[in-house]
Amino acid sequence: MARYRHRVRSICVFSGSSPGTRPEYAAAATALGTELAGRGLRVVYGGADVGLMAKVADAALAAGGEVIGVIPQRLVDSEIAHRGLRELRVTGSMHERKATMAELSDGFVALPGGLGTLDEFAEVLTWSQLGLHSKPCGLLDVAGYYGLLLAFFDHAVAERFVRAEHRAMVLADTDPGRLLDAMQRWSPPTVGKWLDRDDVSPP
């Protein structure tokens, strides 16, 4: 795979459907949504009107940004869909939701969140590792929320389950602007996934 800088026009934001315990989490979600809109970057997110998800969407909309929500019908039926969006795509399943969000996006940012956020971020990161896409993946590390996860990635490198080049795919910062700058500069690695098969290159 040739090295190049990936042009980012649309960012998928993964985040918690709860607000969390710290006011810093909501503040960071608002700051990210405002920053994305200010840069003219389209926001793609899970389409809900709850938790940090709503904070990101509302901030981007208030700043004049474009926001696309993607939500499965089951959650629409639960009445948590954001009704203030111009574009809300309703899917038949969670799998279809994630695939649609990925297709619409040029990069991925995870705010603090729970199991769903971790699942979404891990999936797109794995796709990048396998060479299935070349889109940057970033963690907005608010109040040290992702410190233990970043330490785990380092541990996985030390234990030879992850290449250092693939660990470096995880962009992390405490500031939304700096994180987005890093995503704009990012280039995909050129090594294959398998540590003990150096002759294998990404597809």
Side-chain angles (χ1 to χ4, degrees):
M1 181 184 296
R3 294 185 66 83
Y4 63 93
R5 290 182 180 178
H6 183 81
R7 186 172 181 186
V8 178
R9 303 180 185 89
S10 181
I11 291 289
C12 179
V13 179
F14 305 130
S15 62
S17 58
S18 298
T21 59
R22 298 173 181 261
E24 292 96 326
Y25 299 149
T30 297
L32 177 61
T34 302
E35 182 74 20
L36 288 167
R39 292 176 179 233
L41 296 173
R42 181 177 66 179
V43 177
V44 178
Y45 87 113
D49 194 21
V50 292
L52 299 188
M53 299 173 74
K55 294 293 185 183
V56 171
D58 289 344
L61 290 170
E66 180 185 358
V67 180
I68 297 178
V70 184
I71 190 169
Q73 183 64 55
R74 180 174 176 273
L75 295 184
V76 175
D77 295 341
S78 299
E79 299 183 346
I80 66 168
H82 198 303
R83 301 299 179 180
L85 302 178
R86 290 186 178 179
E87 185 170 354
L88 182 68
R89 301 196 182 188
V90 180
T91 65
S93 68
M94 292 292 286
H95 292 294
E96 185 184 350
R97 178 203 214 178
K98 291 191 291 183
T100 301
M101 291 169 72
E103 182 180 351
L104 290 170
S105 304
D106 300 316
F108 308 91
V109 171
L111 281 160
L115 297 179
T117 301
L118 182 61
D119 167 61
E120 291 165 333
F121 186 77
E123 184 167 60
V124 295
L125 187 63
T126 301
W127 291 350
S128 182
Q129 181 192 41
L130 292 171
L132 301 180
H133 72 72
S134 56
K135 303 174 183 181
C137 303
L139 294 173
L140 192 57
D141 188 22
V142 184
Y145 184 80
Y146 282 117
L148 292 175
L149 180 60
L150 292 168
F152 165 75
F153 291 146
D154 292 334
H155 178 63
V157 172
E159 296 298 313
R160 288 185 54 78
F161 285 103
V162 175
R163 287 185 182 272
E165 294 90 344
H166 293 143
R167 164 64 179 88
M169 295 189 314
V170 183
L171 306 175
D173 207 299
T174 59
D175 179 78
R178 289 197 304 263
L179 180 58
L180 293 173
D181 288 342
M183 293 175 73
Q184 293 282 9
R185 295 191 301 265
W186 183 78
S187 296
T190 59
V191 298
K193 174 187 185 297
W194 295 272
L195 281 159
D196 298 319
R197 295 181 63 192
D198 289 332
D199 57 315
V200 179
S201 298

